[in-house]
Amino acid sequence: MSDATLKSYACRLEARLDKIMARTPTHSAGVKLKEMIKRTRRHLFVFMTVRELPATNNGSERAIRAAVIFRKVTYCFRSAWGAQLYADIRSVIETGRRRAIDAFEAIRLTLQAKPLAAPAPS
């Protein structure tokens, strides 16, 4: 799409969101959602103007797929600390993967309180 077309679509989205935000929520969840949108609105449609950003959350969905499958296969966690520990470990491993660091190294660096820095470009 051309830049002009994208800008037109972005303006339409903003206008529609203005109409939604003008409404007064009648439920506490609606109030919470409206406040969240107010705080993050400037980030909602960035994908419309920055072509490098994907318009979907498919990357995020793929990132949590292993955790979802694990939860389904094991019929959930038996303790809150077990669920939190698993989430923490998966987060470290996924961050490492995205930064081209193997899982063992990512866990080792995290336990040493060192950042998972991306390798320097070659």
Side-chain angles (χ1 to χ4, degrees):
M1 287 187 215
S2 71
D3 289 343
T5 302
L6 284 177
K7 188 173 182 178
S8 171
Y9 288 162
C11 287
R12 283 190 217 161
L13 284 171
E14 289 289 348
R16 290 174 68 184
L17 188 56
D18 285 339
K19 286 182 183 178
I20 293 169
M21 294 300 287
R23 299 182 71 173
T24 303
T26 58
H27 192 276
S28 62
V31 172
K32 187 176 178 180
L33 177 61
K34 188 172 181 176
E35 287 302 315
M36 187 275 306
I37 290 172
K38 280 182 184 177
R39 284 193 315 273
T40 61
R41 184 173 183 163
R42 69 183 182 277
H43 304 293
L44 289 178
F45 303 123
V46 173
F47 68 92
M48 296 290 290
T49 56
V50 180
R51 291 182 182 267
E52 296 79 33
L53 292 177
T56 68
N57 69 344
N58 287 343
S60 298
E61 293 287 339
R62 282 192 298 273
I64 67 168
R65 183 165 174 76
V68 171
I69 290 171
F70 181 84
R71 187 190 72 222
K72 286 182 178 181
V73 168
T74 61
Y75 300 107
C76 216
F77 293 93
R78 297 186 187 264
S79 65
W81 70 266
Q84 185 61 52
L85 177 64
Y86 183 79
D88 291 344
I89 291 170
R90 288 297 317 159
S91 177
V92 168
I93 291 170
E94 179 61 21
T95 301
R97 185 191 67 77
R98 290 178 180 217
R99 295 180 182 173
I101 301 169
D102 88 347
F104 181 76
E105 182 67 7
I107 293 169
R108 188 183 67 73
L109 289 169
T110 300
L111 290 174
Q112 293 176 346
K114 295 182 180 177
L116 299 181
S122 332

